[in-house]
Amino acid sequence: MHRIFIDREELYDDGGSLRVFGARAHHMKNVLRMRPGDAFIACDGAYTDYSCTVTSVAKDRLEASVISASQNASKKDYTLTLCQAMPKGAKIDFVLQKATELGADEINIFFSARTDVKYDEAQQQKRLSRFDRIVEEAANQCGAGAISAVRIFKDFDAMLASLDPAAKVIMAYEEEKTTTFKSVLRGNNSTNLVFIVGPEGGFDPKEAQHAKEAGAVLVSLGRRILRTETAGMFLLSCVSYEKQEEGGQE
Ligand code: SAH
C-alpha cells in the first residue's frame, strides 16, 4: 500500500478528511496514479499513521477520507544521529537512504579537513532540497513514522558545536586501536546516540582532539578499514541489533 507524508494542516473535519495540494498531490495523482477508491496510508511525520481512501482527484489537489488513525510502528525510545563527512560523488545519496532505513532520526553532513569535495555556500540550499527528497522517499519506502532531519555544516567544529550536550557522542576513528565500538555501545545507557564518521581521507588528528575535548568517545570498528559509506551503516546496524536483543523489537 502506498504511503505518503502529510502536514497536519492538511487534515480537516476534526481529522475526518484530508486535502493534499502542491508537489505531493502531483506525486499522488501523476506518479502513484491514485484514483477515487484507492486506499493509502498518510503519515503526519510525528508517528501517527492515517488509513485513508481517495475521494476525489482534481487539477490542484487530492482529497481523501480518513478511516482510522494509529501509532506508527517504527517509533523507538531512543534517538540516533549520524554525522557523516561529505563523501565523493553520489555516495551521499546512498548514505541518506540507508541511514533512514536503519533508523537515523538526524543526519548531519559535514565538510572536514580531509574532505575531497569543497564546501560552496551557494550550493547548499539546492543540495538540502535534494537530500530532503531522498530521505522522504526512503522513509516512505521503509514505513518510518518521521522523516530524518538533514543538515549541512561547513566544517567539523561547527558540526561538533551543534550537538546536544546531553548526547552520547561516539566517533569512529581509524587510528583508535584499543577502545572498541562494541564495548562502548554495550556499556551505554544514553537514549540519545550520536555517531561521527570521517571522509575517504580519514580524520585529521586535530579533529580527533577537538572531538575528545567536546566529550566524544573515539572508537575502533575493527581491524579492517571500512569505506566511509560502510562505517555509518555498520554503526547504525549494530544499534538495531542490540535493541532487538533487549526488547524483541527495536
Ligand atoms: N583513509 C583512512 C581511512 C578512512 S575510512 C585511512 O586509510 O586510515 C573513513 C572513515 O570511516 C573514518 O574516518 C572512520 O570514521 C570510519 N572508519 C572506517 N574504518 C574504521 C575502523 N576500522 N575503525 C574506526 N573507524 C573506521
Short mmCIF file of all heavy atoms in Angstrom, two decimals, residues 172-174 197-203 219-222 224-226 228 231, ligand 1:
data_model
loop_
_atom_site.label_atom_id
_atom_site.label_comp_id
_atom_site.label_asym_id
_atom_site.label_seq_id
_atom_site.Cartn_x
_atom_site.Cartn_y
_atom_site.Cartn_z
N ALA A 172 33.85 7.27 15.16
CA ALA A 172 34.63 6.17 14.58
C ALA A 172 35.95 6.75 14.09
O ALA A 172 35.96 7.60 13.20
CB ALA A 172 33.85 5.56 13.42
N TYR A 173 37.02 6.31 14.73
CA TYR A 173 38.33 6.89 14.40
C TYR A 173 39.28 5.76 14.01
O TYR A 173 39.57 4.85 14.82
CB TYR A 173 38.86 7.67 15.61
CG TYR A 173 40.13 8.43 15.33
CD1 TYR A 173 40.34 9.09 14.12
CD2 TYR A 173 41.14 8.49 16.29
CE1 TYR A 173 41.52 9.79 13.87
CE2 TYR A 173 42.32 9.20 16.04
CZ TYR A 173 42.50 9.84 14.83
OH TYR A 173 43.66 10.53 14.58
N GLU A 174 39.75 5.84 12.79
CA GLU A 174 40.57 4.77 12.24
C GLU A 174 41.90 4.57 12.98
O GLU A 174 42.49 3.51 12.92
CB GLU A 174 40.81 5.00 10.74
CG GLU A 174 41.47 6.32 10.35
CD GLU A 174 40.51 7.52 10.29
OE1 GLU A 174 39.38 7.43 10.78
OE2 GLU A 174 40.93 8.56 9.74
N VAL A 197 31.37 9.95 11.54
CA VAL A 197 32.14 9.17 10.56
C VAL A 197 32.91 10.13 9.65
O VAL A 197 32.34 11.10 9.13
CB VAL A 197 31.19 8.28 9.71
CG1 VAL A 197 31.94 7.62 8.57
CG2 VAL A 197 30.52 7.24 10.59
N GLY A 198 34.19 9.84 9.44
CA GLY A 198 35.05 10.70 8.64
C GLY A 198 34.95 10.46 7.14
O GLY A 198 34.29 9.51 6.70
N PRO A 199 35.65 11.28 6.36
CA PRO A 199 35.62 11.15 4.90
C PRO A 199 36.61 10.09 4.40
O PRO A 199 37.30 9.48 5.22
CB PRO A 199 36.05 12.54 4.43
CG PRO A 199 36.98 13.01 5.51
CD PRO A 199 36.48 12.42 6.81
N GLU A 200 36.68 9.92 3.10
CA GLU A 200 37.58 8.93 2.49
C GLU A 200 39.01 9.08 3.01
O GLU A 200 39.71 8.10 3.22
CB GLU A 200 37.60 9.07 0.96
CG GLU A 200 36.35 8.59 0.25
CD GLU A 200 35.28 9.67 0.12
OE1 GLU A 200 35.39 10.73 0.77
OE2 GLU A 200 34.30 9.44 -0.63
N GLY A 201 39.43 10.31 3.21
CA GLY A 201 40.80 10.57 3.66
C GLY A 201 40.99 10.42 5.16
O GLY A 201 42.09 10.62 5.68
N GLY A 202 39.94 10.11 5.89
CA GLY A 202 40.02 9.95 7.33
C GLY A 202 40.02 11.28 8.07
O GLY A 202 39.85 12.35 7.47
N PHE A 203 40.19 11.20 9.39
CA PHE A 203 40.19 12.41 10.20
C PHE A 203 41.59 12.97 10.39
O PHE A 203 42.56 12.22 10.50
CB PHE A 203 39.60 12.12 11.60
CG PHE A 203 38.10 12.05 11.61
CD1 PHE A 203 37.46 10.86 11.92
CD2 PHE A 203 37.34 13.17 11.32
CE1 PHE A 203 36.07 10.79 11.94
CE2 PHE A 203 35.95 13.11 11.33
CZ PHE A 203 35.32 11.92 11.65
N VAL A 219 36.30 5.49 18.92
CA VAL A 219 36.23 4.02 18.91
C VAL A 219 36.77 3.44 17.62
O VAL A 219 36.80 4.08 16.57
CB VAL A 219 34.77 3.51 19.10
CG1 VAL A 219 34.19 3.98 20.42
CG2 VAL A 219 33.89 3.91 17.92
N SER A 220 37.16 2.15 17.74
CA SER A 220 37.58 1.37 16.57
C SER A 220 36.39 0.53 16.11
O SER A 220 35.60 0.05 16.94
CB SER A 220 38.72 0.44 16.97
OG SER A 220 38.87 -0.56 15.99
N LEU A 221 36.28 0.34 14.81
CA LEU A 221 35.20 -0.51 14.27
C LEU A 221 35.74 -1.88 13.88
O LEU A 221 35.04 -2.66 13.24
CB LEU A 221 34.54 0.16 13.06
CG LEU A 221 33.95 1.56 13.28
CD1 LEU A 221 33.21 2.03 12.04
CD2 LEU A 221 32.99 1.58 14.48
N GLY A 222 36.99 -2.14 14.22
CA GLY A 222 37.55 -3.45 13.90
C GLY A 222 38.87 -3.32 13.16
O GLY A 222 39.37 -2.22 12.96
N ARG A 224 39.70 -4.04 10.05
CA ARG A 224 39.72 -3.60 8.65
C ARG A 224 39.25 -2.15 8.56
O ARG A 224 38.41 -1.73 9.35
CB ARG A 224 38.81 -4.48 7.79
CG ARG A 224 39.30 -5.90 7.65
CD ARG A 224 38.30 -6.74 6.88
NE ARG A 224 36.98 -6.72 7.51
CZ ARG A 224 36.63 -7.50 8.53
NH1 ARG A 224 37.47 -8.36 9.05
NH2 ARG A 224 35.42 -7.41 9.06
N ILE A 225 39.78 -1.44 7.59
CA ILE A 225 39.34 -0.05 7.36
C ILE A 225 38.11 -0.10 6.45
O ILE A 225 38.18 -0.59 5.33
CB ILE A 225 40.46 0.78 6.69
CG1 ILE A 225 41.69 0.88 7.60
CG2 ILE A 225 39.95 2.17 6.30
CD1 ILE A 225 41.48 1.71 8.85
N LEU A 226 37.01 0.39 6.97
CA LEU A 226 35.78 0.41 6.18
C LEU A 226 35.73 1.68 5.34
O LEU A 226 36.26 2.71 5.74
CB LEU A 226 34.57 0.37 7.11
CG LEU A 226 34.55 -0.73 8.17
CD1 LEU A 226 33.29 -0.62 9.02
CD2 LEU A 226 34.63 -2.10 7.52
N THR A 228 33.98 5.01 3.94
CA THR A 228 33.16 5.97 4.71
C THR A 228 31.67 5.62 4.64
O THR A 228 30.95 5.71 5.65
CB THR A 228 33.43 7.43 4.26
OG1 THR A 228 32.62 8.30 5.03
CG2 THR A 228 33.19 7.68 2.77
N ALA A 231 30.95 2.63 7.07
CA ALA A 231 31.12 2.83 8.51
C ALA A 231 29.82 3.25 9.21
O ALA A 231 29.44 2.67 10.23
CB ALA A 231 32.22 3.86 8.76
N1 SAH B 1 41.91 6.90 4.73
C1 SAH B 1 41.81 6.44 6.07
C2 SAH B 1 40.52 5.67 6.31
C3 SAH B 1 39.27 6.46 6.23
S1 SAH B 1 37.89 5.44 6.37
C4 SAH B 1 42.94 5.51 6.37
O1 SAH B 1 43.46 4.92 5.44
O2 SAH B 1 43.27 5.36 7.55
C5 SAH B 1 36.60 6.60 6.51
C6 SAH B 1 36.01 6.75 7.90
O3 SAH B 1 35.32 5.57 8.26
C7 SAH B 1 36.99 7.00 9.01
O4 SAH B 1 37.35 8.35 9.17
C8 SAH B 1 36.22 6.48 10.23
O5 SAH B 1 35.29 7.43 10.69
C9 SAH B 1 35.49 5.29 9.66
N2 SAH B 1 36.22 4.02 9.78
C10 SAH B 1 36.47 3.14 8.80
N3 SAH B 1 37.08 2.04 9.28
C11 SAH B 1 37.21 2.23 10.60
C12 SAH B 1 37.74 1.42 11.66
N4 SAH B 1 38.26 0.22 11.44
N5 SAH B 1 37.70 1.92 12.91
C13 SAH B 1 37.19 3.14 13.17
N6 SAH B 1 36.67 3.94 12.21
C14 SAH B 1 36.67 3.49 10.94
#
